[in-house]
Amino acid sequence: MSDNSFPTSGPGRPKDPAKRKAILEAAKNLFLRKGYDGSSMDAIASEAGVSKLTVYSHFTDKETLFSAAVKAKCEEQLPELLFELPADVSIEKVLLTIGRSFHALINSRESVELHRVMVAMATQDPKLSRMFYEAGPQQVLQEMTGLLSQAQQAGKLAIENPLHAAEHFFSLIKGGHNFRLLIGCNPPLEGAEAEQHVREVVELFMRAYRP
């Protein structure tokens, strides 16, 4: 099932970006409150203030809408622009920016609740879990792998396997605190503590991969 955010428009009037955004917001809210099975296309249409036909004209089915909602949430916090490597910007600064945004994303209320839904669904509907992974975490991992490959080619980092290094970076940013947050043992890490954590991770990462 395709997870394209912008389905090809058929005959007729162009798609309305405002309606598409409203549908995605409604879908995110309902998927979090009622889960995937408890969120019908009718309910999403009502929440968005549009007709069910409009929902289907933007998103072919509920699976496509779910994937698009997950992808949209990631792109809000981690736009593709973050994974560029300008020649006049240090790799440390780029990593700090990505680290801060990724940390904010994974510790946001929406992200925490969605991860809990996915864990609960893992044994019931592995297809849905796979859709979630491909639309969100996998996309972010691919973008980071591409960035680290560029940094390797530019001589800014010494990395033999950019994919493994990307996984190391995100795992370090998550740390133990995010797991404790997911199981309800800790409040989100915020402010100066969050900044210190991200800076320590970038420093450790640079120590491992500095050329």
Side-chain angles (χ1 to χ4, degrees):
M1 185 63 61
S2 171
D3 63 355
N4 290 338
S5 294
F6 298 93
T8 303
S9 299
R13 292 181 299 176
K15 299 287 191 294
D16 185 339
K19 287 183 179 179
R20 180 181 183 278
K21 182 177 180 180
I23 294 167
L24 284 174
E25 286 298 319
K28 285 189 292 183
N29 291 335
L30 281 178
F31 286 140
L32 291 177
R33 292 204 314 263
K34 299 186 177 181
Y36 182 82
D37 290 335
S39 304
S40 68
M41 295 293 263
D42 280 318
I44 292 169
S46 178
E47 180 96 356
V50 301
S51 69
K52 186 166 71 169
L53 182 61
T54 299
V55 176
Y56 278 107
S57 74
H58 283 267
F59 305 97
T60 311
D61 50 36
K62 191 163 72 168
E63 291 182 355
T64 303
L65 177 52
F66 177 77
S67 293
V70 172
K71 188 173 181 180
K73 175 58 183 173
C74 291
E75 289 177 347
E76 286 173 12
Q77 201 72 44
L78 287 163
E80 292 182 5
L81 182 64
L82 285 182
F83 295 96
E84 293 182 354
L85 188 61
D88 58 342
V89 177
S90 70
I91 185 63
E92 289 94 338
K93 185 173 182 179
V94 173
L95 293 175
L96 281 170
T97 301
I98 294 172
R100 291 177 186 125
S101 296
F102 182 72
H103 187 270
L105 171 64
I106 62 172
N107 290 290
S108 68
R109 179 191 61 81
E110 290 178 324
S111 181
V112 168
E113 291 182 3
L114 186 55
H115 273 79
R116 288 170 177 164
V117 169
M118 288 298 97
V119 170
M121 291 292 294
T123 57
Q124 303 174 37
D125 192 347
K127 178 184 178 183
L128 187 63
S129 298
R130 170 60 61 179
M131 288 167 53
F132 163 75
Y133 178 74
E134 291 176 351
Q138 187 176 63
Q139 293 287 325
V140 173
L141 186 61
Q142 288 175 347
E143 292 285 351
M144 187 64 170
T145 300
L147 171 74
L148 295 181
S149 295
Q150 293 178 46
Q152 160 71 17
Q153 293 168 7
K156 295 187 176 184
L157 293 173
I159 298 176
E160 292 185 6
N161 191 315
L163 173 59
H164 290 174
E167 290 181 332
H168 296 160
F169 182 80
F170 289 134
S171 294
L172 287 168
I173 293 291
K174 283 185 176 182
H177 191 95
N178 182 250
F179 173 72
R180 293 190 290 274
L181 174 63
L182 288 172
I183 62 174
C185 291
N186 271 13
L189 195 65
E190 298 176 327
E193 289 183 319
E195 177 67 15
Q196 181 181 354
H197 169 67
V198 172
R199 286 185 174 277
E200 287 175 354
V201 167
V202 171
E203 181 181 343
L204 181 60
F205 190 83
M206 289 301 302
R207 201 178 302 164
Y209 294 110
R210 195 185 302 275

